[in-house]
Amino acid sequence: MWTAYLILVVLLLVLTLLPKIQNSHWIFRVPEFGKIQITYFIIITFILGFLVDSSSDYFWYCQGLLILLFIHHGVILIKYTPLYPIKKHSRQQKSSQKLHFISANVYQFNTEYGRFIRLIEKYNPQVFLTMESNGDWEKAMQPLEKDYPYHHKVTLENTYGMHFYSKLKIQEAKTHYFVADDIPSIEIHLITEDGFSFVFFGVHPPPPSPTEEETSKERDGDLLSTAKRVTEIHKPLIVVGDFNNVAWSKSSILFRKTSHLIDPRIGRAFVSTFHAKYHLLRFPIDLMFHSEDIFIEKLSTLENFGSDHLPVYCEFFIDHYNDQQEERIEKATPEEKIQAEQMIQEGKKEDGERDAVVSED
């Protein structure tokens, strides 16, 4: 029992320290995703400590270390809970009407198309974004086009396809390939029925993992390229998608600072989306960021429709006259800007070696 306790303490320490090492290899980046689970295991191991032989000279050192690890993770995670105080804002007369969207990684090999269509019909968003949507998904979603006459489609069979559907008029639509010619990001300029213009960015960079990309270079380069592009646009703006990243990682924080956007999870909730089937192993990797004139009223996950990701649902409004969110914007230092540019260049140099057509193993 004492040996198992020691092994757990050492493992939790290693998993805490690995992300501190600024190496892009997946071994160092993957532990960032499990910070919530690591914190729970720290609590469990601390309690377990009192059930083992506490006569060892090292017992209280180990328990003290666990307390320090809990404080370290807790200080970071508490920002993404309602316990962290932020100002609440109500919709004013000069603001836009309430808008809502759904963002969903549909999982390319998920064939339960009807469940997703019923989900869209149930929540009836003004716009929705799908990721991993290929030709089969595009064909399956055609019945929705009568209600969503505006769309922008990037149909790929490599699990990085992307489709955008809208009831709102699309003024301009662009597809960017920031770091690789098979990893798209979309930029959609929209206008609401009451005359408010805003921009919707959809992103889906590749993850660092033992089964996909060996490093996080393409992911980070793609996200920071998006952040760089965002600063060139002077409209209310939302960036949403499967970031394959967590909000507290260094690259996500650098994205937020470089783009001058706000993370709506802060003071609200984790909004964990992956893996949809395993609640205890669920990470918040489908992220969203927004400009200071976008005000979030609701951000949550919706029910599973057969994908490995839960869809994200958001309600928001636009207000050009309310500057109370300005204090929530953090800007990158000159050193951080240089670092972001270096990460963009590293991402462009990386060769992902992905197949153009991916089949389910």
Side-chain angles (χ1 to χ4, degrees):
M1 194 74 167
W2 172 252
T3 302
Y5 168 74
L6 280 179
I7 291 172
L8 282 172
V9 171
V10 172
L11 179 62
L12 291 167
L13 177 62
V14 170
L15 291 174
T16 300
L17 293 178
L18 278 177
K20 303 295 180 187
I21 301 171
Q22 294 309 308
N23 187 302
S24 61
H25 194 278
W26 67 265
I27 289 175
F28 300 93
R29 303 278 60 89
V30 167
E32 292 175 319
F33 291 73
K35 186 175 288 289
I36 300 170
Q37 287 79 6
I38 289 170
T39 304
Y40 282 130
F41 272 106
I42 289 170
I43 297 170
I44 293 169
T45 305
F46 181 80
I47 296 170
L48 178 65
F50 292 105
L51 303 179
V52 303
D53 182 7
S54 59
S55 61
S56 171
D57 295 337
Y58 298 103
F59 173 75
W60 287 109
Y61 289 108
C62 291
Q63 291 293 81
L65 176 61
L66 290 172
I67 291 172
L68 290 176
L69 293 179
F70 175 78
I71 293 171
H72 167 75
H73 291 290
V75 167
I76 295 171
L77 293 178
I78 197 170
K79 290 181 66 176
Y80 303 93
T81 73
L83 297 175
Y84 191 81
I86 59 168
K87 291 181 180 178
K88 305 296 183 182
H89 306 282
S90 57
R91 192 153 54 97
Q92 307 297 319
Q93 286 186 342
K94 292 184 178 180
S95 66
S96 73
Q97 297 176 357
K98 186 167 69 174
L99 302 161
H100 48 296
F101 70 80
I102 289 175
S103 169
N105 182 322
V106 297
Y107 181 57
Q108 181 171 302
F109 309 107
N110 172 23
T111 58
E112 299 188 58
Y113 311 116
R115 290 177 66 182
F116 180 73
I117 290 172
R118 288 191 293 272
L119 182 88
I120 297 298
E121 291 173 342
K122 176 181 176 180
Y123 291 96
N124 193 31
Q126 277 100 343
V127 302
F128 70 90
L129 170 72
T130 63
M131 291 151 287
E132 290 202 28
S133 40
N134 62 355
D136 290 338
W137 269 96
E138 181 178 318
K139 183 178 179 180
M141 291 188 291
Q142 284 179 354
L144 292 171
E145 293 183 10
K146 64 180 185 299
D147 294 321
Y148 294 86
Y150 306 101
H151 24 80
H152 182 67
K153 304 173 182 179
V154 186
T155 308
L156 298 172
E157 302 294 332
N158 64 351
T159 73
Y160 290 97
M162 193 174 290
H163 290 68
F164 179 84
Y165 294 84
S166 175
K167 294 181 178 182
L168 307 177
K169 184 178 180 180
I170 295 177
Q171 295 178 307
E172 184 180 6
K174 299 179 180 179
T175 302
H176 298 284
Y177 296 90
F178 288 122
V179 299
D181 58 8
D182 59 349
I183 301 294
S185 299
I186 60 171
E187 174 188 331
I188 313 293
H189 294 246
L190 299 157
I191 186 165
T192 68
E193 293 177 355
D194 49 351
F196 286 78
S197 295
F198 72 101
V199 180
F200 189 103
F201 256 93
V203 300
H204 183 203
S209 79
T211 58
E212 296 199 44
E213 301 307 311
E214 185 174 316
T215 75
S216 63
K217 289 180 180 180
E218 277 194 309
R219 179 198 69 183
D220 297 340
D222 190 73
L223 292 176
L224 290 166
S225 296
T226 300
K228 187 176 179 180
R229 169 59 185 158
V230 161
T231 60
E232 301 170 354
I233 301 172
H234 305 291
K235 291 181 181 180
L237 189 142
I238 289 171
V239 181
V240 69
D242 177 2
F243 277 58
N244 279 312
N245 206 357
V246 284
W248 48 78
S249 75
K250 184 174 181 178
S251 55
S252 279
I253 294 170
L254 189 57
F255 171 90
R256 174 163 53 84
K257 289 182 175 182
T258 305
S259 63
H260 307 162
L261 298 180
I262 296 167
D263 183 353
R265 281 171 164 75
I266 295 177
R268 192 181 302 272
F270 296 124
V271 196
S272 298
T273 55
F274 177 89
H275 194 287
K277 296 179 181 179
Y278 310 114
H279 187 80
L280 295 178
L281 296 176
R282 194 170 290 172
F283 311 130
I285 63 174
D286 293 85
L287 303 183
M288 172 192 171
F289 295 86
H290 63 88
S291 58
E292 62 183 283
D293 36 17
I294 300 282
F295 292 81
I296 307 302
E297 289 195 334
K298 183 177 181 180
L299 182 66
S300 65
T301 56
L302 300 177
E303 57 266 29
N304 186 14
F305 59 90
S307 174
D308 51 356
H309 289 246
L310 295 176
V312 174
Y313 174 83
C314 179
E315 295 179 1
F316 69 98
F317 62 88
I318 304 168
D319 191 340
H320 298 296
Y321 301 96
N322 190 335
D323 60 1
Q324 294 182 20
Q325 288 193 127
E326 189 174 339
E327 62 188 31
R328 296 184 62 186
I329 295 176
E330 295 182 70
K331 295 185 178 181
T333 64
E335 293 77 13
E336 288 173 327
K337 290 179 181 178
I338 292 172
Q339 184 181 18
E341 188 60 39
Q342 290 174 340
M343 293 169 77
I344 289 172
Q345 297 308 316
E346 288 179 358
K348 291 179 177 179
K349 293 176 183 177
E350 193 75 0
D351 184 3
E353 297 183 351
R354 285 170 294 271
D355 294 331
V357 178
V358 177
S359 58
E360 188 175 23
D361 294 330

